[in-house]
Amino acid sequence: ILPLVSVNQILLLLLVLTVCAILYNKVHQVPLALRNETVDLESPEEVKEEIPVVICAAAGRMGAAVAAISSIYSNTEANVLFYIIGLKTTIPHIRKWIENSKLKEIKFKVVEFNPMVLKGKIRQDASRPELLQPLNFVRFYLPLLIQKHEKVIYLDDDVIVQGDIQELYDTKLAPGHAAAFSDDCDLPSTHEMVRSVGMQNTYMGFLDYRKQAIRDLGISPSTCSFNPGVIVANMTEWKHQRITKQLEKWMQRNVEENLYSSTLGGGVATSPMLIVFHGKYSSINPMWHIRHLGWSPDARYSEQFLQEAKLLHWNGRYKPWDYPSVHTDLWENWFIPDPSGKFKLTRPDS
């Protein structure tokens, strides 16, 4: 009997030890799981959504792209990924500029744009040849250049950002809209500037209403235009609606019929977008696109108004890295000199 009792006691002891071991593991695994969750919550790289920002780096105005990137990076805690678009000849310069300056901390990808996609789609116009530069049309081809993101910000190079880019990224796009823009009639404080420099802010300023193809669109010439220098785009909708193909169609028609030109509205990249996106875009907060700073070397906004603005845009001929121009001090705050010395600011005393 004694040996039998001993065996039962041993089995009972083993059972108790097994239960204790299971309970011990359960109790001690909980804090481990909590610790892992806490680490994830505290790691910003793992929870912050990536914000893709597209900026072009064109020959002769690379300092513009650098200032824009510098201003964005300095004014946000967001997880920004810069897509810097250039031509084959300009890419080495911008890469060295970034890697040999304080911008070496940014997350960026350099993407080459092949100008051959524009062959036969641009009507040559001698009045403002700079507007026909291939990189002006990068915004037409966003889904081909940026492939893994649902939402993308595109910015012209002649901007600086004073607000947190996260706010712009959070712009709500209505269902079915592939993009959001700023209306040219949206901000009363800019209306006086528009009048003083003779700027157009309606479709009549961009499209030639003498042409039947334009009249057939059924768009009133007094319709307020928008500025595609700042875009928040939905890539899924863009591809679904074949926006790039639609834009190319109107570029082709302009080559054949001269429906718009760079003498109208100051550019040939805006007009096809006005046609394709008419009545089908969402609005960006007006303070996120204060523009016309480059339309006159004399017309100025109030300093207080500009301090409150989230984004400043020197669209027009008079750029802040050249002379003459206005409000250059606000732009120069973010400019980083070219380590190679190739790009220099033009100033009255230089």
Side-chain angles (χ1 to χ4, degrees):
I1 293 172
L2 281 175
L4 185 60
V5 170
S6 298
V7 169
N8 285 340
Q9 285 176 333
I10 290 167
L11 288 173
L12 184 60
L13 182 62
L14 287 172
L15 182 62
V16 170
L17 288 172
T18 303
V19 171
C20 287
I22 290 168
L23 289 172
Y24 178 86
N25 282 337
K26 282 188 177 292
V27 167
H28 285 270
Q29 277 174 358
V30 173
L32 181 62
L34 287 175
R35 278 204 300 275
N36 284 341
E37 285 178 22
T38 305
V39 168
D40 286 343
L41 289 171
E42 289 177 354
S43 173
E45 273 65 39
E46 295 193 19
V47 296
K48 278 189 179 176
E49 186 178 4
E50 207 166 53
I51 297 179
V53 177
V54 178
I55 295 180
C56 296
R61 47 193 289 161
M62 236 167 269
V66 166
I69 292 167
S70 168
S71 69
I72 295 165
Y73 181 65
S74 302
N75 287 308
T76 189
E77 295 292 321
N79 181 21
V80 180
L81 172 60
F82 293 97
Y83 282 87
I84 301 167
I85 316 295
L87 302 179
K88 192 172 186 177
T89 52
T90 61
I91 283 174
H93 186 186
I94 192 69
R95 189 185 289 280
K96 282 183 184 172
W97 196 330
I98 289 169
E99 291 174 350
N100 292 288
S101 72
K102 65 181 183 181
L103 290 180
K104 61 179 178 286
E105 303 296 327
I106 71 170
K107 286 170 61 180
F108 74 101
K109 291 183 180 179
V110 177
V111 181
E112 182 183 341
F113 182 68
N114 184 354
M116 288 306 292
V117 299
L118 301 171
K119 191 173 181 183
K121 300 184 183 77
I122 302 175
R123 168 182 279 272
Q124 295 305 310
D125 193 319
S127 61
R128 287 192 67 188
E130 76 276 11
L131 297 171
L132 303 176
Q133 294 300 319
L135 295 181
N136 276 341
F137 300 92
V138 159
R139 70 198 93 187
F140 290 15
Y141 296 95
L142 291 175
L144 301 180
L145 299 163
I146 318 298
Q147 288 167 358
K148 69 168 188 167
H149 300 282
E150 167 76 8
K151 198 174 187 182
V152 171
I153 294 172
Y154 166 88
L155 299 176
D156 276 354
D157 61 359
D158 51 356
V159 307
I160 60 157
V161 173
Q162 301 184 135
D164 185 343
I165 198 75
Q166 181 77 52
E167 284 181 38
L168 182 60
Y169 185 75
D170 290 341
T171 298
K172 294 281 188 290
L173 272 68
H177 286 177
F181 306 100
S182 291
D183 286 309
D184 283 330
C185 312
D186 60 8
L187 206 59
S189 48
T190 67
H191 293 174
E192 185 55 43
M193 172 74 83
V194 168
R195 281 194 293 274
S196 68
V197 298
M199 253 209 71
Q200 294 288 344
N201 63 358
T202 64
Y203 272 58
M204 186 185 286
F206 293 87
L207 305 176
D208 188 346
Y209 275 83
R210 293 170 300 178
K211 301 293 170 70
Q212 189 62 43
I214 297 300
R215 293 200 300 273
D216 287 347
L217 289 169
I219 302 172
S220 167
S222 61
T223 301
C224 186
S225 53
F226 59 80
N227 186 300
V230 176
I231 308 172
V232 181
N234 179 313
M235 293 292 92
T236 302
E237 279 296 335
W238 193 292
K239 287 183 275 194
H240 175 68
Q241 296 179 33
R242 298 168 63 84
I243 297 292
T244 298
K245 288 290 181 196
Q246 291 188 58
L247 292 166
E248 286 185 325
K249 181 189 89 171
W250 284 102
M251 292 168 77
Q252 207 95 50
R253 288 197 67 174
N254 183 55
V255 170
E256 296 158 7
E257 304 172 52
N258 196 21
L259 305 175
Y260 51 85
S261 75
S262 57
T263 54
L264 285 167
V268 291
T270 298
S271 300
M273 298 197 90
L274 290 177
I275 295 170
V276 170
F277 284 101
H278 174 252
K280 294 187 293 186
Y281 66 91
S282 298
S283 293
I284 289 171
N285 179 332
M287 295 306 285
W288 266 101
H289 196 176
I290 301 304
R291 44 210 181 276
H292 317 318
L293 276 74
W295 275 86
S296 165
D298 305 310
R300 300 175 68 92
Y301 287 110
S302 79
E303 291 299 325
Q304 183 184 349
F305 175 68
L306 293 184
Q307 292 296 334
E308 293 169 359
K310 307 282 190 176
L311 181 148
L312 304 177
H313 187 184
W314 279 262
N315 56 315
R317 293 172 185 264
Y318 301 98
K319 304 301 186 186
W321 55 90
D322 277 335
Y323 181 82
S325 59
V326 295
H327 305 296
T328 52
D329 53 325
L330 292 171
W331 183 86
E332 271 192 65
N333 282 340
W334 307 109
F335 175 68
I336 298 169
D338 182 359
S340 74
K342 291 177 189 170
F343 181 94
K344 293 182 173 66
L345 302 181
T346 304
R347 294 295 179 252
D349 52 355
S350 63

